[in-house]
């Protein structure tokens, strides 16, 4: 079994994974990844969602499972002060990559911490926003993960967790793990049921404000959007693909497919009362 870093290095060398490396920001160009993320429809939708609950500029943000730091950098570019939690120390997908990005910002605006969030949070209520991108579903102990987010936030602070995998039951989970393109290499993927996510947040003390399903937001659809999907249909199906009725039928079919897909993607936003 490979480590996460070894897995990413391997798929970079395999042409069949080129699209995945690009879409998941796994390339070796750390700054290039971060700049592409800022321009992505996912990030734009995330900012709009957050702004309906809190102000991002001048906020203090905790980014849990920050990976290569693309989202931490994006928050910092909006004026936030960010603590990025990433125990992996890889130079392109881990905390060393975050340090590379931090070096281009004002001192103290973005700080990388090579530690697990549960070990980092020692005092109550220091953050306005706790953000977790594609990390909550990796939790070994889901309730502890969510409890940590709750403890980190100030009163009325916002917990936003995006692009988490949801399964129906254990059979659905096993199918998700079989289908996941990287799990076979490093064995670190995971998923929970929708009820488990919601219960963990409620039990921690959060008021869950929104749960966004697979097709409810560009956050979950990325790297696709409804608009570019329709354009793709227009180019893939000669003549008829230009018709709105055909694009509507294709979009409806695609939505039904995503909702049933093992490991379907959800995002959540909750507030600490």
């Amino acid at each position: 079994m490979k480590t996460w870093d070894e897995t990413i290095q391997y798929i970079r060398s395999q042409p069949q994974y080129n699209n995945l490396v690009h879409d998941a920001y796994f390339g070796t160009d750390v700054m290039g990844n971060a700049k592409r993320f800022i321009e992505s429809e996912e990030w734009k939708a995330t900012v709009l969602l957050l702004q309906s609950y809190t102000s991002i500029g001048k906020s203090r943000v905790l980014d849990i499972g920050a990976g290569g730091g693309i989202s931490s950098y994006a928050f910092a570019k909006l004026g936030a002060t960010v603590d990025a939690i990433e125990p992996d120390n890889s130079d392109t997908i881990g905390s060393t990559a975050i340090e590379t990005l931090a070096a281009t910002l004002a001192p103290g605006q973005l700080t990388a911490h090579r530690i697990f969030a549960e070990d980092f949070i020692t005092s109550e209520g220091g953050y306005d926003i706790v953000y977790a991108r594609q990390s909550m579903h990796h939790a070994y102990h889901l309730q502890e993960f969510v409890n940590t987010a709750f403890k980190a936030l100030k009163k009325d602070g916002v917990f936003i967790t995006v692009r988490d995998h949801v399964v129906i039951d254990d059979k659905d989970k096993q199918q998700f793990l079989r289908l996941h393109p990287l799990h076979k290499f490093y064995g670190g993927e995971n998923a929970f049921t929708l009820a488990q996510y919601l219960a963990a947040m409620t039990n921690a003390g959060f008021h869950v404000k929104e749960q966004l399903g697979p097709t409810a937001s560009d956050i979950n659809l990325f790297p696709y959007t409804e608009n570019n999907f329709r354009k793709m249909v227009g180019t893939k199906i000669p003549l008829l693909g230009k018709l709105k009725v055909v694009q509507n039928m294709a979009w409806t079919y695609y939505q039904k497919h995503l909702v049933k897909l093992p490991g379907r993607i959800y995002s959540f936003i909750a507030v600490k009362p």
Side-chain angles (χ1 to χ4, degrees), residues 177-208:
L177 296 178
R178 286 193 298 270
L179 293 173
H180 194 283
L182 302 184
H183 181 71
K184 61 188 175 185
F185 298 123
Y186 84 109
E189 287 301 322
N190 195 17
F192 297 94
T193 68
L194 183 59
Q196 286 174 318
Y197 286 119
L198 295 174
M201 286 184 274
T202 300
N203 291 341
F206 280 114
H207 289 173
V208 180

Side-chain angles (χ1 to χ4, degrees), residues 4-211:
W4 177 240
D5 186 42
E6 289 170 343
T7 297
I8 300 306
Q9 291 186 43
Y10 172 74
I11 66 171
R12 285 173 183 157
S13 70
Q14 304 300 307
Q16 66 269 32
Y17 293 107
N18 284 351
N19 288 340
L20 174 59
V21 169
H22 178 271
D23 293 342
Y25 307 99
F26 288 155
T28 57
D29 182 359
V30 173
M31 181 57 74
N33 293 337
K35 289 182 176 179
R36 278 198 303 113
F37 179 73
I38 286 177
E39 295 301 318
S40 72
E41 297 303 318
E42 176 197 336
W43 176 244
K44 292 174 184 176
T46 299
V47 170
L48 284 175
L49 179 61
L50 264 174
Q51 285 177 333
S52 64
Y53 290 92
T54 190
S55 173
I56 298 175
K58 298 184 179 179
S59 64
R60 191 175 178 205
V61 177
L62 179 67
D63 186 356
I64 300 179
I70 55 174
S71 51
S72 299
Y73 180 80
F75 274 112
K77 292 296 283 185
L78 290 177
T81 300
V82 187
D83 283 310
I85 306 300
E86 178 50 59
D88 187 293
N89 66 353
S90 165
D91 58 356
T92 57
I93 56 166
S95 54
T96 303
I98 302 171
E99 291 168 354
T100 298
L101 295 173
T104 70
L105 300 166
Q109 190 171 10
L110 170 56
T111 306
H113 302 271
R114 298 181 184 181
I115 194 172
F116 288 98
E118 291 86 343
D119 299 320
F120 176 73
I121 300 300
T122 57
S123 60
E124 191 85 18
Y127 295 91
D128 304 289
I129 298 169
V130 172
Y131 171 88
R133 181 181 186 269
Q134 300 181 167
S135 61
M136 183 165 67
H137 61 268
H138 286 291
Y140 290 108
H141 301 287
L142 179 60
Q143 190 63 64
E144 290 182 17
F145 182 101
V146 179
N147 287 349
T148 298
F150 187 87
K151 182 179 180 181
L153 284 167
K154 299 176 181 177
K155 185 179 183 300
D156 297 324
V158 177
F159 178 42
I160 177 169
T161 171
V162 302
R163 299 182 59 78
D164 280 306
H165 292 294
V166 170
V167 291
I168 298 172
D169 52 27
D170 190 62
K171 181 179 178 181
D172 196 44
K173 177 178 176 179
Q174 294 309 312
Q175 186 175 3
F176 159 65
L177 296 178
R178 286 193 298 270
L179 293 173
H180 194 283
L182 302 184
H183 181 71
K184 61 188 175 185
F185 298 123
Y186 84 109
E189 287 301 322
N190 195 17
F192 297 94
T193 68
L194 183 59
Q196 286 174 318
Y197 286 119
L198 295 174
M201 286 184 274
T202 300
N203 291 341
F206 280 114
H207 289 173
V208 180
K209 297 296 185 178
E210 296 190 51
Q211 58 183 62

